Amino acid sequence: MQKLINSKDGTLINYNISGNGTIAFVFVHGWLGNLQWWEDQEQYFNDNYTVIRLDLGGHGKSGKERKIYTHTGYAEDIISVVNDLDSKDIILVGHSMSGP
């Protein structure tokens, strides 16, 4: 299911939520990527976990009106999505600029 939420600065953040489970995987793409990078992981984890894939501000289907793009802004995008979830058991997965 596709959802939209505003980040702290008002940028609209697009994310998909699927699967079943009390533990949620939140997948964050790297520079110039989008949530589609994580389609294989979504298929693999869907049966046992909730899977969230998001487009950071300026990427994919998220808003592109942000004036200044910073790591802090991207972190706020992730926080906005995580705060919108029912789950409190969250595993954050990223690569490139979103984590080693």
Side-chain angles (χ1 to χ4, degrees), residues 10-71:
T11 301
L12 200 58
I13 302 301
N14 174 61
Y15 73 96
N16 287 356
I17 184 166
S18 63
N20 296 303
T22 57
I23 297 173
F25 279 97
V26 177
F27 289 97
V28 183
H29 62 80
W31 183 249
L32 301 178
N34 60 53
L35 60 77
Q36 292 177 328
W37 283 12
W38 301 104
E39 287 178 348
D40 291 340
Q41 289 74 19
E42 177 186 41
Q43 292 173 13
Y44 182 83
F45 288 110
N46 258 349
D47 290 340
N48 299 306
Y49 301 92
T50 299
V51 177
I52 293 87
R53 301 176 299 131
L54 66 111
D55 288 326
L56 294 169
H59 296 80
K61 295 180 181 177
S62 285
K64 296 169 178 52
E65 65 278 352
R66 186 175 278 159
K67 302 286 186 230
I68 299 172
Y69 290 87
T70 65
H71 288 89

Side-chain angles (χ1 to χ4, degrees), residues 1-16:
M1 167 180 27
Q2 181 179 359
K3 294 187 79 176
L4 298 168
I5 190 165
N6 284 318
S7 190
K8 185 176 181 179
D9 68 358
T11 301
L12 200 58
I13 302 301
N14 174 61
Y15 73 96
N16 287 356

